[in-house]
Amino acid sequence: MVQYQTNENYYKNLKELLQEFPDLQVEIEQRIKWFSKNPNDTRLGNHDLHKKMVGQWSFWITDDIRIIYKWLGKNKVRFLAIGGHTKVYR
């Protein structure tokens, strides 16, 4: 099972996102649960990032919403950001 940490930026993004779309809370929790059990679950669209975001990874919450994270060890990650493409891929 993968454990996760978050940072201040992630919490700020999450708060803003849920203020705009409160119904996403359940979907976010479900996707994080799937990720914790199996990061390679195909429902997540998990993939590594390139260019200026090399070393970071992303998985889907919705068609547009992503969680960006970084591996800290074999079974530990830090969530860095959550939001739409224009917010997290800059």
Side-chain angles (χ1 to χ4, degrees):
M1 182 163 282
V2 175
Q3 297 176 340
Y4 66 92
Q5 302 173 347
T6 60
N7 66 13
E8 206 171 300
N9 186 57
Y10 175 84
Y11 274 121
K12 180 182 169 206
N13 293 164
L14 181 61
K15 184 179 176 182
E16 291 171 2
L17 186 64
L18 292 177
Q19 283 177 343
E20 190 172 350
F21 305 104
D23 294 345
L24 276 179
Q25 180 72 43
V26 173
E27 188 68 26
I28 291 168
E29 290 173 3
Q30 180 63 52
R31 298 280 175 153
I32 290 174
K33 219 181 265 187
W34 292 346
F35 176 82
S36 292
K37 289 181 182 176
N38 178 11
N40 296 315
D41 187 319
T42 57
R43 296 173 288 187
L44 297 171
N46 191 21
H47 60 284
D48 60 330
L49 302 176
H50 304 282
K51 297 186 182 180
K52 67 179 181 173
M53 296 183 83
V54 72
Q56 297 177 20
W57 292 68
S58 173
F59 67 91
W60 304 339
I61 301 300
T62 67
D63 288 342
D64 183 51
I65 308 297
R66 303 286 188 268
I67 289 181
I68 306 298
Y69 69 94
K70 187 171 198 160
W71 285 98
L72 301 177
K74 185 177 178 183
N75 293 314
K76 193 176 216 176
V77 299
R78 177 175 292 124
F79 292 163
L80 304 172
I82 183 171
H85 277 88
T86 55
K87 184 166 193 98
V88 298
Y89 294 130
R90 32 181 158 123

